Amino acid sequence: METYVQKLHKGIEILKKAGVPEPELDAWYLFSECFQITRAEYFLKQTEKIEETDVQKKTWEQYLKRRSEREPLQYILGTQEFMGFSFFVNPSVLIPRQDTEILVEKALSVLNPGDRVLDMCTGSGCILLSLAKMKKLGRAVGVDISPEAIQTAGKNAEYLQADAEFILSDLFDQMDRRDRFQVIVSNPPYITEEERKELMPEVAEHEPGLALFGGEDGLYFYRRMIREAGNFLTEGGSLLVEIGCRQAEAVQKMFQENGYEKIEVIQDLAGLDRVVAGTYFSGR
Ligand code: GLN
């Protein structure tokens, strides 16, 4: 007979052998989901015989196998928290990062009620939908090049009961040229070729390359986006982008060359450059 504690500990051992960085924590999350058990219930029942259905037995094995292959916990469980909201995630979207909350907070500070907001490269929709939940927006539009991402973002909007539209487009290509937004936010792919080699297997082998890599120097999407964004901003509107911690100077320069003023670089909680923001004036 196998007890709860034995079952969980076998799982921890399997993850440990596979080199998973936090085997105890991950095994617990998977265990809790698979057996639908809270921490308190576990402590009460740990030495009792585990009552498992055939489905749970199989699911537990599957979970451990997937995590041993370094699939991110979030893809296995299917969700990630961001800004206090729960988002569905799957291998077609990036897992929302805590760093990106800096971008959302900065956007909240420039947004006025009724503003129209565009989120370029929306992925799971985590940025746009957090904003839509926290501010009364006039319009919330998310753009992505991936149909699967658009579908995931739509599902998240529905689940969170947020009012948002999604457009399948390579940056601004399919957008209505008459549209103007007070705020454009974006967390585009920005990892460089050099950084690619240092990624953890969870990221390199499981997250979508399409959402990660920004060309040799990581700046490909900033170049294209910052050149065009002004055509979709109102006079005095804001552009806010997340950046890699070594990209502030280059991205700031692109803002300067394309009509932006009051350019700011904002640091994350680790003190690293994380967001560039500016106000657009067409100079007409
Ligand atoms: N906007 C999404 C996020 O921040 C996706 C970003 C991306 O695909 N690069 O998670």
Side-chain angles (χ1 to χ4, degrees), residues 199-243:
L199 295 174
M200 313 239 296
E202 279 81 355
V203 180
E205 290 162 29
H206 298 277
E207 290 200 276
L210 201 59
L212 292 170
F213 305 111
E216 182 65 33
D217 61 0
L219 300 171
Y220 175 77
F221 293 100
Y222 299 111
R223 281 195 195 93
R224 280 184 59 195
M225 183 168 56
I226 297 169
R227 205 184 310 134
E228 267 200 86
N231 298 331
F232 295 87
L233 278 170
T234 56
E235 200 65 13
S238 300
L239 174 64
L240 303 97
V241 299
E242 177 169 322
I243 54 159

Side-chain angles (χ1 to χ4, degrees), residues 1-7 31 37 44-53:
M1 112 171 180
E2 196 171 34
T3 65
Y4 281 85
V5 71
Q6 284 166 339
K7 186 102 188 160
F31 190 82
I37 188 172
L44 285 175
K45 300 209 283 199
Q46 53 183 326
T47 54
E48 289 173 24
K49 181 179 182 300
I50 191 158
E51 307 277 355
E52 60 183 344
T53 64

Side-chain angles (χ1 to χ4, degrees), residues 94 96 100 121-123 126-127 187-189 211:
L94 212 66
T100 304
C121 311
T122 199
C126 63
I127 300 171
N187 177 22

Side-chain angles (χ1 to χ4, degrees), residues 82 93-97 100 103 119-128 144 186-190 208 210-212 242:
F82 181 81
V93 297
L94 212 66
I95 298 164
R97 308 291 204 267
T100 304
L103 176 64
D119 177 17
M120 189 49 83
C121 311
T122 199
S124 64
C126 63
I127 300 171
L128 183 76
D144 206 283
S186 183
N187 177 22
Y190 58 70
L210 201 59
L212 292 170
E242 177 169 322

